[in-house]
Amino acid sequence: MAEFSSYDPGTPCWVDLASTDIERSKAFYTGLFGWEAEEGGPDTGGYVMFRKDGKNVAGAMEIMMEGQPPAWMTYIAVADADDTVDRAKKAGATVFVEPMDVTDVGRMAVFADPTGAAIGLWQPRAHIGADLANEPGSFCWNELQTRDTGAAKAFYAEVFGWGEHTMAGEMTYTEWRLGDKTIGGMMDMPKEVPPEMPAYWLVYFAVADCDASTAKATELGGAALVPPTDIEPGRFSVLMDPTGATFALIRMRAA
């Protein structure tokens, strides 16, 4: 079991969903992944914690800002949210949520990179992020889809100290590196995506069977945007949940 007790600064550590219909989202994701959902009290704004086998794997909340679309958010672990936001501003970020304490569990912020993709920061206290990751029913990959990979490379290097390794082939793909570890990916926004859709971070959840999980998602009211497809790391699909949030599933190949 891939359990975590901490995350190195600069590493994706948490994902949560902004939903227009929290009850519908709870029904969909508990049905798809077998998660348990626990709604927090008034001091958390009704934040929903999704758990697998009693371990925190993701969160969800009602949309807070007018015009905000339903979406999954990736959070990067940081040692100092205020300092990181200062660097992000100097590098061209647009800040949506200035650094703020979340009760006693951590300190967070949200901004958009210069290419338009929103991303969160998490300075952990009582809550370190996901207790489980990289196994079926938990997040396993975070991928930036953008129309300006050059600007993104410069920004994330400045803000998080990320390096990158870009591979050319049928499709150019970039792996984000933190030291000698690969911690995420980036690709050009597919041409079929409407121009009005901004850059975004796509969250991948690991599954044991991509085809079966994709079929289950459609039974629960989701839609397959990319059907199950073989790629080098495994077999993946891209889905839209019943409220319109996009996410991906992947069945990783055996090492």
Side-chain angles (χ1 to χ4, degrees):
M1 187 174 286
E3 296 190 28
F4 288 79
S5 59
S6 66
Y7 289 86
D8 292 335
T11 304
C13 67
W14 186 242
V15 295
D16 68 15
L17 173 69
S19 173
T20 54
D21 187 336
I22 199 70
E23 292 303 319
R24 197 174 184 190
S25 295
K26 284 162 61 177
F28 177 80
Y29 288 102
T30 57
L32 179 59
F33 294 127
W35 290 345
E36 308 96 33
E38 179 180 326
E39 188 166 330
D43 59 330
T44 69
Y47 191 86
V48 173
M49 192 70 74
F50 288 121
R51 295 191 172 96
K52 181 187 177 191
D53 301 326
K55 305 290 186 181
N56 296 330
V57 291
M61 59 186 170
E62 293 277 1
I63 281 176
M64 304 293 289
M65 296 185 291
E66 185 176 351
Q68 179 184 357
W72 280 95
M73 175 82 70
T74 292
Y75 291 80
I76 308 300
V78 295
D80 188 322
D82 298 77
D83 179 66
T84 306
V85 166
D86 286 343
R87 288 201 306 276
K89 287 178 179 178
K90 292 174 183 175
T94 300
V95 178
F96 298 137
V97 179
E98 292 282 354
M100 59 175 284
D101 289 329
V102 182
T103 61
D104 64 343
V105 299
R107 189 165 175 80
M108 65 165 288
V110 179
F111 56 73
D113 70 27
T115 80
I119 193 164
L121 305 180
W122 186 251
Q123 179 183 332
R125 290 172 184 160
H127 175 67
I128 58 103
D131 297 325
L132 297 178
N134 305 325
E135 70 166 47
S138 63
F139 86 90
C140 64
W141 191 246
N142 307 81
E143 177 183 88
L144 174 62
Q145 298 199 4
T146 178
R147 295 180 180 87
D148 192 340
T149 57
K153 289 177 183 179
F155 177 80
Y156 289 102
E158 179 67 24
V159 177
F160 298 122
W162 288 353
E164 49 86 13
H165 172 62
T166 299
M167 298 161 285
E170 291 184 13
M171 178 189 72
T172 299
Y173 196 86
T174 295
E175 292 181 349
W176 296 114
R177 297 278 179 85
L178 184 64
D180 60 356
K181 295 180 180 178
T182 298
I183 50 91
M186 176 176 64
M187 59 179 284
D188 289 306
M189 186 80 78
K191 293 182 175 59
E192 59 268 26
V193 175
E196 62 270 18
M197 183 169 180
Y200 70 103
W201 279 87
L202 180 65
V203 177
Y204 285 70
F205 294 97
V207 292
D209 186 323
C210 184
D211 295 74
S213 294
T214 300
K216 182 67 172 178
T218 58
E219 290 172 11
L220 292 166
L225 304 179
V226 177
T229 303
D230 288 324
I231 54 176
E232 185 176 347
R235 187 165 174 82
F236 88 110
S237 63
V238 180
L239 302 168
M240 181 180 290
D241 75 16
T243 73
T246 302
F247 65 102
L249 304 177
I250 188 164
R251 162 62 163 97
M252 300 297 293
R253 295 190 194 282

